[in-house]
Amino acid sequence: MTGTDAPFLRTLCSLRWLAVAGQAATILVATSVLGLELPQLPLWAGVAALTLFNLYAQLRVNDADTAPVTAFGHILVDVSVLTWMVGWSGGIGNPFGSLFLILIALAALALPLRWTLAVAATCLIGYAVSGIFGLPLPAGYFTAMQMHQWGVVCNFLLSATVVLVFATRLAIALRHREHELALLRERFVRNEGIVALATHAASVAHELNTPLATMTLLADDIADQTNSSEVRDDVDTLRELLVQCRERVLALARPAAGDAPGRDTVTLPQVLEQWRLVRPTITLKRNDDAPLKLPLDPGIGHLLMVLLNNAADAGEKAERPQVDLTLRIEGNTLIGEVRDYGHGFDARQAVLPGTLFNSGKAQGMGVGLALSHATIERLDGELWMRPANGAGTRVGFRLPLTSSETSA
């Protein structure tokens, strides 16, 4: 860990308010209840100084520098005030002198090693200064041993409260940040793979463009040389598939040519027409109120293609080649669901986050699913999978729509 963060500084501010209240209460109890003749002016001056500094720190806590030296400066003020207060109220005989340990424990939780050692050295110096130059504890209504015992009890309760509440809160914040860093590392590794895949795809797209153009010319020649209507129909289908392949290849090569990503949009009928051309044996049912004219991000179109192909594979494997597609708009959100009629998945299986299973078993190379999850993350959406009634699997998604999409 190379730095601190705002939660740690906010924790120090909260502890400082507790210290201000505790010091004020201790002065009042020691002078009024225990009858100790303590120097009032220096002690209340220490309380006022700590209060003013904490007011300043509270106002700057969100804008403060996150470098360890900032947190060390905050702790240095706390050590200085604690040294001052202990020195004027008994020195080494004051049982509250062990509060220096709390500052060391907090530094060990949130600061790098060298700064923790610096805090420990500062606390040792402060404890030594308060012990060497501190005033002896004056006599009061109780003996010195009785006051020391009660002071130890109060100090233990205070230290236990601080460790339980604030140190636990710091530990939870640190674990949360470590979890976020792990997610960011995982996303970075996945994005690296996707970027490498996109670069390779653009290279292959340039190589495929020429043979696809040749195949299109050959299909035209075959159509001109044949008189069979069946052959002509097959050639027309082949030509449509080649056109679709060329469009996909050009789309892959377009980012490499410097075009702005996300410029083109697709519509639901275009996506479904392309999918039906590739999967003509699958029965597709969709809801009648689906937003057919809604312009979609190309990534959403790719997501639909992947989900539909997965559902088709699952249905064919179970000899029930049917897919149900449901799309609707709620406010500024596009909600969709693809239901297959495959064998379903075992609900007792542990489904890992970021992994989508196709009716119990992932199929293919997983590239489409990886890109689908990247699309979901890029568009700030969510993806889920649930068992369908009877047989099959329901895979749903939720994606926010831009203002231009909703107004179209």
Side-chain angles (χ1 to χ4, degrees):
M1 186 164 133
T2 59
T4 60
D5 50 11
F8 178 64
L9 297 181
R10 284 195 291 267
T11 298
L12 288 180
C13 289
S14 300
L15 276 174
R16 209 168 285 122
W17 288 126
L18 179 63
V20 168
Q23 289 169 359
T26 301
I27 294 174
L28 294 176
V29 170
T31 54
S32 302
V33 179
L34 302 181
L36 299 178
E37 296 182 359
L38 297 175
Q40 298 289 308
L41 182 60
L43 292 177
W44 286 111
V47 173
L50 192 61
T51 301
L52 292 176
F53 174 77
N54 205 37
L55 287 173
Y56 168 78
Q58 196 83 48
L59 294 175
R60 297 291 305 274
V61 66
N62 292 324
D63 301 330
D65 185 10
T66 57
V69 65
T70 303
F72 177 76
H74 282 233
I75 296 178
L76 185 61
V77 173
D78 297 327
V79 172
S80 301
V81 173
L82 183 59
T83 302
W84 176 270
M85 300 296 290
V86 172
W88 283 100
S89 57
I92 198 171
N94 190 330
F96 292 98
S98 61
L99 292 177
F100 288 103
L101 294 175
I102 294 180
L103 298 175
I104 298 176
L106 292 176
L109 280 173
L111 296 180
L113 178 59
R114 60 175 182 170
W115 291 102
T116 302
L117 294 177
V119 170
T122 304
C123 290
L124 289 176
I125 294 174
Y127 186 74
V129 168
S130 63
I132 295 173
F133 300 100
L135 299 177
L137 194 66
Y141 300 146
F142 302 93
T143 64
M145 180 59 66
Q146 288 175 329
M147 288 190 296
H148 185 77
Q149 288 177 344
W150 282 108
V152 168
V153 171
C154 295
N155 185 34
F156 173 79
L157 294 176
L158 179 62
S159 300
T161 301
V162 170
V163 171
L164 181 62
V165 176
F166 293 96
T168 302
R169 189 171 69 178
L170 268 180
I172 293 174
L174 290 175
R175 284 195 295 269
H176 178 69
R177 186 168 65 177
E178 290 176 356
H179 177 68
E180 289 182 342
L181 289 175
L183 292 179
L184 287 176
R185 284 193 294 266
E186 179 183 351
R187 184 178 302 175
F188 177 76
V189 172
R190 184 171 64 250
N191 289 343
E192 273 192 331
I194 293 175
V195 170
L197 177 63
T199 303
H200 180 67
S203 176
V204 173
H206 286 289
E207 298 176 4
L208 290 177
N209 192 35
T210 299
L212 284 174
T214 303
M215 294 172 65
T216 303
L217 293 176
L218 291 175
D220 293 337
D221 292 340
I222 294 174
D224 294 337
Q225 296 174 8
T226 183
N227 295 323
S228 173
S229 59
E230 295 181 358
V231 174
R232 285 181 178 275
D233 292 339
D234 293 340
V235 171
D236 290 338
T237 302
L238 177 60
R239 189 185 292 110
E240 291 179 5
L241 290 172
L242 289 173
V243 170
Q244 185 178 146
C245 290
R246 290 200 65 186
E247 289 178 353
R248 295 295 181 88
V249 166
L250 292 175
L252 288 174
R254 192 174 299 125
D259 289 351
R263 177 182 296 179
D264 300 330
T265 58
V266 296
T267 60
L268 181 59
Q270 292 174 339
V271 175
L272 297 182
E273 182 180 355
Q274 293 177 359
W275 182 80
R276 286 194 181 98
L277 188 62
V278 179
R279 310 300 292 262
T281 60
I282 306 298
T283 302
L284 176 64
K285 294 184 178 181
R286 61 171 176 81
N287 56 316
D288 296 332
D289 57 345
L292 299 180
K293 297 182 180 180
L294 179 69
L296 301 175
D297 185 280
I300 300 179
H302 179 268
L303 172 66
L304 287 174
M305 292 287 286
V306 171
L307 297 181
L308 290 173
N309 283 328
N310 283 349
D313 292 338
E316 287 182 337
K317 185 177 180 181
E319 298 182 354
R320 289 188 291 268
Q322 179 178 332
V323 175
D324 295 346
L325 173 64
T326 303
L327 288 175
R328 68 182 187 276
I329 296 179
E330 293 184 0
N332 294 329
T333 303
L334 175 65
I335 300 176
E337 185 177 85
V338 177
R339 185 257 170 91
D340 66 61
Y341 290 83
H343 296 296
F345 66 96
D346 189 356
R348 295 171 295 181
Q349 286 180 312
V351 180
L352 298 177
T355 304
L356 183 61
F357 289 97
N358 176 12
S359 293
K361 182 179 180 181
Q363 308 220 352
M365 296 179 294
V367 174
L369 297 180
L371 294 176
S372 298
H373 283 285
T375 300
I376 290 292
E377 289 185 354
R378 178 174 63 86
L379 300 177
D380 295 327
E382 56 179 323
L383 189 69
W384 64 85
M385 181 176 67
R386 301 187 183 100
N389 294 330
T393 305
R394 297 159 49 207
V395 180
F397 61 89
R398 185 189 306 270
L399 293 170
L401 298 175
T402 62
S403 57
S404 60
E405 291 173 336
T406 55
S407 61

